[in-house]
Amino acid sequence: MVVGGGISGIQASLDLATAGFKVYLVEKSPTIGGKMSQLDKTFPTNDCSMCIESPKFSECSRHPNIEIMTYTEVDCVEGEAGNFKVTLIKKPRYVIEDNCTGCTVCVEYCPVKTPDHFNQEISKNKAIHIYFAQATPLVSYIDESCLFLKEKKCTICQSVCKSNAIDFNQTAKKVVINVGAILLSPGFEPFDPKIRNDYGYGKFENVVTSLDYERLLCATGPYEGEILRASDKKYPHKIAWIHCVGSRTVIPGGNSYCSRVCCTYTQKQVILTKDHDDEAECTIFHNDIRSYGKDFERFYQRTEKLPGIRFVRSYVSIGNEIPESKNVTIRYSTLEEGVKEEEFDMVVLSVGLNPTTDVMGLANKFGIELNSHGFCKTNPVNPMETSRPGIFISGAFQGPVDIPESVVTASGAGSQCGELLDYRRGGLAKARVYPPERDTSKEEPRVGVYVCHCGANIGRIVDVPSTVEYALTLPNVVHAEDSLFICSTEAAAKLSKSIREKGLNRVVVAACTPRTHEPLFRDTLREAGINQYYYDMANIREHCSWVHSKEKEKATQKAQDIVRMSVARACRLEPLQEFDLPVNKAVLVLGGGLAGLTSALSVANQGHEVYLVEKDTDLGGMARRIHDTLEGLNVQEYLSDVIRKVYQHPLIHVYTEAAIAETGGFVGNFVTKVKSKGRLTEISHGATILATGAEVYQPAEYLYGEDEKVMTHLELEGKIAQGDERLLNSQSLVMIQCVGCRNEGRNYCSRICCSESIKNALKLKELNPQMDIYILFRDIRTYGLKEDYYREAASKEIRFIRYEPQDKPQVEAAVDEDGRSVLRVTVTDLVLGKRLEIDADALALAAAVIPSAGSQEATKLFKVNTSLDGFYQEAHVKLRPVDFSTDGIYLCGIAHYPKHIAETISQAYGAAGRVLTLLSHDTVVVSGSVCEVNESHCISCGACIAACTYGAIKFHDTPQGRKAVVNPVLCKGDGLCNAKCPTRAISLKHYTNDELMSQIDAAIPRLVESPLVNSFN
């Protein structure tokens, strides 16, 4: 059972169901989706949040092994791991779900207007309504504001409902289910600034929270994507954001921890604001900017460089509201100008994340412990394990997390449920059954065109009704219609029904990006009984409404042009067949560090053979050099226990002093040659996990390597553990942060350094309270619950001195007044406005974490990608954070990006969970959109072989001589070989010359007359 229908709960449900388990997805609200459904776009991909979630909604609702139970709460839990009895209370909707069609006629006639919770109460809704337009299920419900429920008055909704779906006699029902494991993913609540009453929220009309602002930005929001002030419905031009509202504060009503996500979502909102209004003036008031995640630093720099953007490092207070304009004043101070007061049109409070509202009740029902902050108390070496066996957690119930971490922990918790219940895998699972595919080979093209409003993303710019009418004039189009959200579960079901009823054999969906939605619509065609490759997507959002938002008429014309081109291509589409391949149930894990060891154990515990390959003599990786965590975990003791379990596990085969000599094959059927201690072994495996670790930058600055008193933070930790008397008896020690990163050469934050320095500083203070310790920093990034340790360090007189990157500390060897050899560190104290000289007995450099040489070799061998910084590049930062774009290969650990031990363990379990979604099946499906060679045209030049990065093309001997041949299993359909072939011998199925030329020919009649094109010429 998965409790919580946010992105984490949805991902866990899908992973578990795909891996062969029956899943009950229990959500207390009327629909699945969680807080993410209220967001506009996600950073850094700029994906529409609902466009990420809605295909997952549909996948969940269609999955035969997932039962979605919305508007349902847990009453009590009995039993033990492997055998829980859970009593659920299904609240009355007063709407019969099976009867409701989601037509919303009842909403139109309902006389009661009530604040819309989905829109943060900025707009109104009705007492009967659908929670939001893409809700799953798309079924109305009646809330407590209903006149009949309160006073037995008014049954208008019952009268106008033609489906007889309204039932005021419904009562709460008890449902009892038996489950083997429970996964809690209840999400979070945004901090309510009204509690503190010191920012004017709820008092000043134009002070809003960041979640309020998300709804203003969103096309489905109260003003259809227009950013308007509540006081006068005018566009705000000058906007301020205030960070750390409800976070990093120890006064009553606040939270001492850092909420992790606020710095970055503020930057996202600023960029989106500038997209709405180029001339907008945006000011961000902050303490530290915590851009610690992958690509966060570049995103911060991008925001900082935009015209009209100011980052002001200052604590602030709200002044007052100006009666005439309703503008709001903010008081703040800067080092250069002192205290100032400034007027803003709107103020956005960047609120933090709180535990879910009824967290105490939740803990009591499930019999689990909470930590001091009200989040779930977890095992320090297993962040997804609760204090009660058989109950696991994911997402923000661990503490504040971003979307990728939520998805990672969902897969990780799913893997641990799999370990517990492996003996029952497949027992209740059902296979998805599709209707027989209709033979359309002798039919003329009958095209259906479906144009999506995408809420207001498209509909606000493009005239959708006229585009539908235009589509009906096109050759071979026999049906066209519009939809508010074509990707919603109910809309997709209607699309399938429409295909059958209209006898369609080609489908064009004019909507958003195929990157996230194409699998959904192909699946819909399969449900309708026609070949899934008879589908084409016309991207009229990214390619039209988003880029021509200020040219509505021209955008409409361009949308019609794109639709016409798609229809032309659709008429030329041919049916293609996917094929099944057997899956080898073994796994290769490359890397014997903590990530590789953890994922290997999790996979092996679920009954699969694992081949663990490590280049060094000993297992353990970088963790061998770490002795304690900030939270007090004895790393060496834990690591030794994990290594012992690995060596003792009968299904894990360990190869040390090993290297990959050669690898090949494809998803489900890889073959890798491993050279270990002079012996070559060939391994067959179905999946691969790359956990190749990282290295520590060897500084070339600050006298490192020249003076023995200078060391890295890892070397400092080693000396502390060894009890180095010279170090422990030192009078003073200086630490310098951001050495080798956050610069032009390595434009990223190494994430772990601030916490590591504070950990070492606290340890030294414990051993020698008289030691003077200075930490020279740019931003202290003790995100999440680690903030408490930063505060503890400051309370123990560990001195923090901030420096600017253009004025870095200077270090030189010197002799102090007592004639001792010291390191003289010179730094500008920005608060005092003076240069300080600190004589230090030791200097510790927080050196960057850098990609390992082993990772670079692995990218070439396994044909996977890396980011600009050289770390592994995941398939999708939000949706697939442990998958590579190459099927069957997964990633985890610091080879992906620097991370703490707990985060590494989470991702290692996540990789194991994703592997099991593959290995739990006997076959894997391979795409039909692959390249093929016309041998009569092939001249054996080899250009295609050189172009193919996947090694899918080779020469083979034929009666006509040597010819190129494509392995369809390895081919990814990128088409590079097509472009390189001088004789057009290679063609890519589903993107043939005929199909693409038909699009170009269709574009020509209006292209030459297009005002948009002429404006670019």
Side-chain angles (χ1 to χ4, degrees):
M1 180 180 74
V2 176
V3 180
I7 188 64
S8 185
I10 290 171
Q11 183 65 52
S13 299
L14 286 170
D15 280 354
L16 283 165
T18 305
F21 294 104
K22 166 74 176 178
V23 178
Y24 296 97
L25 176 55
V26 179
E27 168 56 44
K28 66 180 180 181
S29 74
T31 177
I32 59 175
K35 287 290 183 291
M36 186 173 165
S37 59
Q38 292 182 271
L39 307 184
D40 181 32
K41 293 186 178 69
T42 62
F43 147 86
T45 57
N46 205 36
D47 285 319
C48 168
S49 293
M50 279 309 304
C51 284
I52 287 179
E53 280 205 302
S54 58
K56 298 241 179 220
F57 294 171
S58 184
E59 195 177 348
C60 263
S61 64
R62 295 180 181 195
H63 205 296
N65 297 328
I66 299 177
E67 183 176 337
I68 299 175
M69 307 176 74
T70 55
Y71 224 34
T72 302
E73 294 187 0
V74 175
D75 182 49
C76 65
V77 178
E78 302 171 275
E80 57 188 13
N83 186 26
F84 289 109
K85 178 183 175 183
V86 183
T87 303
L88 306 172
I89 303 295
K90 187 169 179 59
K91 296 179 287 185
R93 283 179 178 266
Y94 305 105
V95 173
I96 302 170
E97 294 186 39
D98 292 339
N99 290 5
C100 181
T101 63
C103 66
T104 69
V105 170
C106 54
V107 181
E108 183 180 344
Y109 281 91
C110 178
V112 177
K113 290 187 176 181
T114 184
D116 186 351
H117 298 298
F118 184 73
N119 274 332
Q120 292 293 104
E121 302 188 356
I122 299 171
S123 59
K124 299 286 187 180
N125 212 328
K126 299 295 185 70
I128 184 170
H129 61 275
I130 293 173
Y131 195 61
F132 61 90
Q134 289 156 291
T136 298
L138 194 70
V139 175
S140 301
Y141 75 105
I142 298 174
D143 67 22
E144 63 277 2
S145 64
C146 172
L147 291 176
F148 184 84
L149 296 180
K150 291 196 301 184
E151 306 171 17
K152 300 300 179 183
K153 297 178 181 178
C154 178
T155 57
I156 292 176
C157 58
Q158 199 170 41
S159 304
V160 300
C161 180
K162 296 180 180 180
S163 303
N164 297 317
I166 310 301
D167 180 8
F168 285 109
N169 294 319
Q170 280 188 355
T171 57
K173 292 182 179 179
K174 277 192 175 183
V175 180
V176 178
I177 59 174
N178 292 303
V179 297
I182 298 171
L183 199 162
L184 299 179
S185 185
F188 66 91
E189 290 295 329
F191 176 79
D192 184 1
K194 292 177 184 175
I195 295 173
R196 290 260 303 274
N197 197 30
D198 56 355
Y199 287 109
Y201 183 67
K203 177 182 176 185
F204 300 156
E205 289 183 82
N206 296 320
V207 175
V208 301
T209 68
S210 45
L211 194 53
D212 297 339
Y213 199 75
E214 287 285 343
R215 297 312 302 153
L216 296 180
L217 287 167
C218 194
T220 58
Y223 309 130
E224 296 187 333
E226 299 287 347
I227 305 172
L228 303 177
R229 304 196 323 162
S231 62
D232 51 19
K233 303 301 184 290
K234 292 182 179 179
Y235 296 100
H237 178 70
K238 189 175 181 182
I239 308 174
W241 278 261
I242 300 175
H243 276 193
C244 300
V245 176
S247 302
R248 302 185 69 186
T249 53
V250 291
I251 59 178
N255 296 310
S256 64
Y257 55 82
C258 163
S259 289
R260 296 180 61 150
V261 300
C262 319
C263 288
T264 307
Y265 76 54
T266 295
Q267 294 162 35
K268 177 200 76 172
Q269 290 179 349
V270 167
I271 288 177
L272 293 176
T273 301
K274 295 293 285 185
D275 288 343
H276 281 72
D277 178 7
D278 290 340
E279 304 300 320
E281 298 176 25
C282 302
T283 304
I284 299 99
F285 294 101
H286 67 96
N287 184 358
D288 298 293
I289 292 294
R290 294 189 162 172
S291 302
Y292 59 86
K294 192 172 187 179
D295 293 327
F296 285 17
E297 186 71 18
R298 283 190 176 86
F299 197 69
Y300 168 39
Q301 292 169 4
R302 172 188 168 192
T303 311
E304 196 175 29
K305 291 175 183 176
L306 287 172
I309 305 297
R310 288 186 299 161
F311 281 83
V312 179
R313 190 184 295 265
S314 175
Y315 289 106
V316 305
S317 62
I318 294 289
N320 53 62
E321 182 183 69
I322 298 171
E324 298 78 18
S325 64
K326 299 294 183 180
N327 288 353
V328 179
T329 63
I330 291 179
R331 283 192 295 271
Y332 64 98
S333 67
T334 64
L335 296 175
E336 299 81 13
E337 300 175 278
V339 177
K340 298 179 66 177
E341 188 165 32
E342 192 170 348
E343 181 180 332
F344 293 90
D345 299 337
M346 179 182 280
V347 174
V348 183
L349 307 179
S350 296
V351 295
L353 312 187
N354 279 10
T356 187
T357 308
D358 187 29
V359 68
M360 288 301 299
L362 190 72
N364 290 333
K365 287 175 185 176
F366 288 93
I368 59 175
E369 297 178 38
L370 303 176
N371 64 24
S372 60
H373 296 292
F375 295 103
C376 186
K377 183 178 180 181
T378 61
N379 184 336
V381 297
N382 187 343
M384 292 148 290
E385 188 177 79
T386 69
S387 57
R388 183 174 181 181
I391 299 182
F392 305 92
I393 64 167
S394 68
F397 197 26
Q398 296 178 331
V401 293
D402 200 354
I403 295 168
E405 284 86 358
S406 293
V407 174
V408 164
T409 54
S411 296
S415 185
Q416 293 180 67
C417 290
E419 289 186 44
L420 176 64
L421 302 176
D422 184 59
Y423 67 102
R424 294 168 65 177
R425 191 187 304 271
L428 299 174
K430 299 176 183 177
R432 182 89 177 272
V433 179
Y434 293 95
E437 186 176 301
R438 193 173 92 236
D439 182 7
T440 62
S441 58
K442 296 180 181 179
E443 298 178 6
E444 289 293 317
R446 291 177 58 81
V447 184
V449 178
Y450 300 84
V451 187
C452 184
H453 290 262
C454 198
N457 274 302
I458 294 172
R460 185 166 48 91
I461 308 300
V462 174
D463 186 342
V464 171
S466 72
T467 303
V468 170
E469 290 177 11
Y470 175 75
L472 287 168
T473 68
L474 297 174
N476 301 109
V477 174
V478 298
H479 178 72
E481 64 179 72
D482 64 334
S483 176
L484 183 62
F485 287 105
I486 191 67
C487 62
S488 69
T489 303
E490 276 69 18
K494 289 178 182 178
L495 170 58
S496 179
K497 182 180 178 182
S498 174
I499 293 169
R500 292 191 300 269
E501 291 179 347
K502 306 293 181 182
L504 305 179
N505 55 28
R506 304 287 193 283
V507 173
V508 170
V509 174
C512 53
T513 170
R515 190 166 68 104
T516 53
H517 286 70
E518 191 168 56
L520 165 66
F521 293 117
R522 284 189 176 180
D523 197 61
T524 301
L525 264 66
R526 291 186 69 186
E527 287 187 334
I530 63 174
N531 190 278
Q532 61 178 307
Y533 289 95
Y534 280 141
Y535 163 77
D536 192 61
M537 194 155 194
N539 189 341
I540 62 170
R541 190 184 69 180
E542 278 85 342
H543 294 173
C544 192
S545 64
W546 277 4
V547 291
H548 304 298
S549 59
K550 295 181 173 64
E551 303 172 283
K552 294 185 178 181
E553 290 184 9
K554 295 177 181 179
T556 299
Q557 183 174 320
K558 183 177 179 182
Q560 293 173 5
D561 291 343
I562 293 172
V563 168
R564 185 177 67 254
M565 294 167 67
S566 281
V567 168
R569 177 171 181 257
C571 291
R572 299 291 186 115
L573 293 175
E574 299 176 350
L576 302 177
Q577 297 302 322
E578 298 180 332
F579 51 97
D580 293 340
L581 294 170
V583 174
N584 184 305
K585 300 303 181 80
V587 180
L588 174 75
V589 177
L590 184 58
L594 200 49
L597 295 170
T598 303
S599 59
L601 274 172
S602 186
V603 171
N605 286 339
Q606 296 176 69
H608 297 278
E609 278 198 288
V610 177
Y611 299 91
L612 180 62
V613 179
E614 167 57 42
K615 65 179 181 180
D616 290 339
T617 306
D618 300 312
L619 299 177
M622 192 179 287
R624 294 205 306 265
R625 303 176 63 186
I626 302 172
H627 298 270
D628 301 283
T629 65
L630 189 56
E631 295 78 11
L633 170 70
N634 185 323
V635 176
Q636 293 308 303
E637 184 178 304
Y638 172 68
L639 182 62
S640 298
D641 185 54
V642 173
I643 293 172
R644 177 186 57 78
K645 288 178 181 177
V646 165
Y647 275 117
Q648 291 179 353
H649 204 294
L651 293 179
I652 299 179
H653 311 282
V654 179
Y655 298 83
T656 55
E657 299 180 66
I660 304 296
E662 183 183 338
T663 187
F666 41 85
V667 56
N669 294 271
F670 294 104
V671 177
T672 301
K673 292 181 180 179
V674 176
K675 189 174 183 179
S676 175
K677 301 175 182 177
R679 183 180 177 184
L680 193 65
T681 305
E682 186 173 280
I683 298 170
S684 297
H685 53 104
T688 306
I689 297 176
L690 300 185
T692 50
E695 298 172 357
V696 177
Y697 167 67
Q698 296 299 302
E701 54 266 72
Y702 301 122
L703 302 182
Y704 182 80
E706 301 175 31
D707 193 311
E708 62 179 5
K709 293 186 288 295
V710 183
M711 67 202 85
T712 65
H713 56 338
L714 263 183
E715 292 165 349
L716 173 65
E717 179 166 353
K719 290 190 176 187
I720 295 172
Q722 294 162 11
D724 187 298
E725 291 189 7
R726 182 174 176 181
L727 172 68
L728 299 183
N729 293 328
S730 297
Q731 295 178 20
S732 63
L733 178 141
V734 173
M735 300 178 181
I736 301 178
Q737 303 301 108
C738 300
V739 178
C741 61
R742 298 187 71 190
N743 55 30
E744 290 184 7
R746 294 180 192 85
N747 198 8
Y748 59 89
C749 166
S750 285
R751 188 176 183 133
I752 63 174
C753 315
C754 290
S755 298
E756 288 299 297
S757 293
I758 288 173
K759 176 190 74 176
N760 289 334
L762 286 171
K763 191 70 175 178
L764 286 168
K765 272 291 186 180
E766 180 184 328
L767 297 170
N768 181 0
Q770 305 306 315
M771 185 186 297
D772 293 323
I773 301 176
Y774 303 85
I775 298 180
L776 314 185
F777 70 99
R778 288 174 59 182
D779 297 278
I780 289 293
R781 293 179 170 175
T782 45
Y783 56 88
L785 306 185
K786 293 179 174 59
E787 180 71 9
D788 290 342
Y789 297 97
Y790 176 26
R791 186 170 290 104
E792 180 187 350
S795 71
K796 292 186 175 178
E797 297 186 351
I798 295 169
R799 297 173 177 86
F800 292 85
I801 302 173
R802 187 172 67 86
Y803 71 88
E804 294 289 355
Q806 64 272 19
D807 185 16
K808 294 181 179 179
Q810 303 296 315
V811 178
E812 60 181 354
V815 177
D816 69 3
E817 295 175 352
D818 299 326
R820 294 185 309 123
S821 174
V822 295
L823 293 166
R824 184 156 294 156
V825 182
T826 307
V827 62
T828 300
D829 188 313
L830 298 171
V831 176
L832 298 176
K834 295 180 178 180
R835 295 283 285 177
L836 301 182
E837 287 187 353
I838 305 169
D839 287 347
D841 296 317
L843 175 64
L845 306 179
V849 177
I850 61 175
S852 69
S855 294
Q856 307 310 307
E857 294 168 7
T859 58
K860 297 172 184 175
L861 286 164
F862 292 93
K863 298 178 176 62
V864 294
N865 297 323
T866 58
S867 66
L868 290 173
D869 301 312
F871 295 103
Y872 288 145
Q873 185 64 57
E874 64 278 12
H876 190 287
V877 65
K878 305 293 184 184
L879 295 175
R880 299 173 65 194
V882 295
D883 296 46
F884 281 109
S885 55
T886 302
D887 293 335
I889 305 182
Y890 306 87
L891 59 92
C892 62
I894 56 176
H896 170 239
Y897 192 70
K899 45 181 62 74
H900 291 282
I901 285 176
E903 295 166 332
T904 294
I905 292 170
S906 293
Q907 196 179 29
Y909 276 115
R914 294 296 298 153
V915 163
L916 265 294
T917 63
L918 169 63
L919 301 190
S920 297
H921 301 271
D922 294 327
T923 60
V924 62
V925 177
V926 178
S927 171
S929 179
V930 294
C931 295
E932 64 178 354
V933 178
N934 183 335
E935 292 185 351
S936 62
H937 292 172
C938 177
I939 60 173
S940 306
C941 66
C944 55
I945 296 175
C948 183
T949 56
Y950 300 100
I953 310 175
K954 293 182 178 179
F955 284 128
H956 75 135
D957 293 326
T958 72
Q960 291 77 35
R962 192 176 67 160
K963 301 292 182 180
V965 63
V966 177
N967 183 338
V969 180
L970 292 178
C971 179
K972 298 301 175 186
D974 60 12
L976 288 177
C977 54
N978 300 37
K980 290 289 186 179
C981 182
T983 62
R984 297 185 181 180
I986 292 188
S987 61
L988 173 58
K989 296 177 182 179
H990 201 56
Y991 296 94
T992 64
N993 287 342
D994 284 347
E995 292 165 4
L996 297 180
M997 290 305 297
S998 67
Q999 280 188 288
I1000 295 170
D1001 291 341
I1004 288 173
R1006 291 245 301 250
L1007 189 61
V1008 294
E1009 303 169 1
S1010 171
L1012 279 175
V1013 172
N1014 292 335
S1015 69
F1016 293 135
N1017 291 337

